[in-house]
Amino acid sequence: MLINNLLFSTFWGLVMKIFVDTADLDEIRELASWGVIDGVTTNPTLIAKSGRSFKEIVDEIFKIVDGPISLEVVGTTAEEMVKEARQLAGIHRNVVVKIPMTAEGLKAVKTLSKEDVKTNVTLVFSANQALLAAKAGATYVSPFIGRLDDMGHEGMQIVEEIVDIFGNYGFKTQIIVASIRHPVHVVQAARLGADVATIPPAVIKKMVKHSLTDVGIQRFLEDWKKVPK
Ligand code: E4P
């Protein structure tokens, strides 16, 4: 099983992608410099938190990261979402339009998928919602794990279900594990074979650290001083 998985992933070049979940340009710049960021996800809350204009932020993100950049619509009817999505998609080839998981959102995704506009169906809290989004032709679905955990549910459970369902039927829709709160969520997402984890900068910074690494470096540096010159 392990060997099969390995051969499959190697053959298709599949590695879980890491997106950074923020609109903070300094954070995006710093993390992109580490060479491990494949894309960016934003939402209206993150844009508002940045204190900058939407245009200022997106223009800059495209210069920093050459990968999928999710930008969210704020319309509520399918017609409004499609109109906004077309405008957003026209900004840059890397735009992925975030559409909320509603019936109107599904209609919008269906229309946009026929126009080859990439979509990320957001605010997904159940496997059934993900199934509908995939059937409508979504490029990505974003199950929000942390918010489910906050409510006393086991958020990662729905990722497991979605991975199974998409695998059973060969849906091309990619799974972005979103609303990640801590490094264990990232490990769980990768073990389940999620396509992408979108991670807040603070969590990515925790992923790189281990106290034993720091102690080990310190000891090596101290011992190096004892080597005769
Ligand atoms: C995903 O695309 C969302 O921006 C994000 O993961 C939401 O996370 P939160 O629950 O921490 O707001």
Side-chain angles (χ1 to χ4, degrees):
M1 182 64 176
L2 185 68
I3 293 183
N4 278 347
N5 286 350
L6 195 64
L7 287 174
F8 182 80
S9 313
T10 311
F11 181 76
W12 292 105
L14 297 177
V15 175
M16 187 177 77
K17 295 187 188 76
I18 292 182
F19 292 177
V20 58
D21 193 29
T22 186
D24 182 320
L25 295 174
D26 292 334
E27 296 277 29
I28 297 172
R29 234 175 254 118
E30 185 193 343
L31 294 167
S33 75
W34 293 6
V36 293
I37 301 302
D38 302 296
V40 180
T41 52
T42 66
N43 63 39
T45 306
L46 294 172
I47 301 276
K49 238 193 246 174
S50 77
R52 301 187 195 219
S53 77
F54 179 71
K55 185 173 167 11
E56 200 185 339
I57 292 167
V58 296
D59 284 352
E60 204 52 38
I61 293 178
F62 293 124
K63 290 184 200 152
I64 308 170
V65 177
D66 184 17
I69 312 295
S70 286
L71 307 174
E72 190 155 341
V73 297
V74 287
T76 51
T77 66
E79 202 184 351
E80 287 164 352
M81 291 183 210
V82 168
K83 192 172 165 213
E84 257 184 88
R86 287 178 182 144
Q87 283 164 358
L88 290 172
I91 300 177
H92 195 279
R93 66 187 155 80
N94 285 341
V95 169
V96 175
V97 183
K98 254 180 157 180
I99 305 275
M101 177 58 223
T102 59
E104 289 300 301
L106 290 177
K107 289 186 214 168
V109 169
K110 187 78 198 170
T111 304
L112 294 166
S113 71
K114 289 186 198 140
E115 298 175 15
D116 283 334
V117 172
K118 294 194 186 68
T119 52
N120 171 358
V121 174
T122 187
L123 292 164
V124 166
F125 293 96
S126 74
N128 275 331
Q129 289 182 320
L131 174 63
L132 292 174
K135 281 191 69 80
T139 317
Y140 300 95
V141 286
S142 289
F144 275 38
I145 299 319
R147 292 193 196 185
L148 280 168
D149 286 0
D150 293 345
M151 301 272 298
H153 297 283
E154 177 61 59
M156 209 49 79
Q157 180 72 39
I158 68 159
V159 175
E160 199 173 340
E161 291 167 0
I162 299 167
V163 168
D164 279 351
I165 293 167
F166 285 11
N168 283 347
Y169 300 108
F171 281 116
K172 290 200 192 99
T173 304
Q174 295 184 47
I175 304 164
I176 303 181
V177 178
S179 185
I180 281 180
R181 299 273 192 265
H182 49 71
V184 176
H185 275 155
V186 183
V187 173
Q188 291 171 326
R191 292 192 72 180
L192 289 170
D195 301 285
V196 183
T198 189
I199 317 173
V203 176
I204 300 180
K205 288 178 181 172
K206 283 183 189 160
M207 287 164 66
V208 83
K209 294 288 278 181
H210 198 290
S211 56
L212 288 178
T213 307
D214 298 339
V215 169
I217 291 171
Q218 200 52 42
R219 189 177 305 159
F220 285 153
L221 293 178
E222 291 302 321
D223 288 345
W224 184 246
K225 287 181 194 154
K226 298 174 199 154
V227 175
K229 304 285 179 303

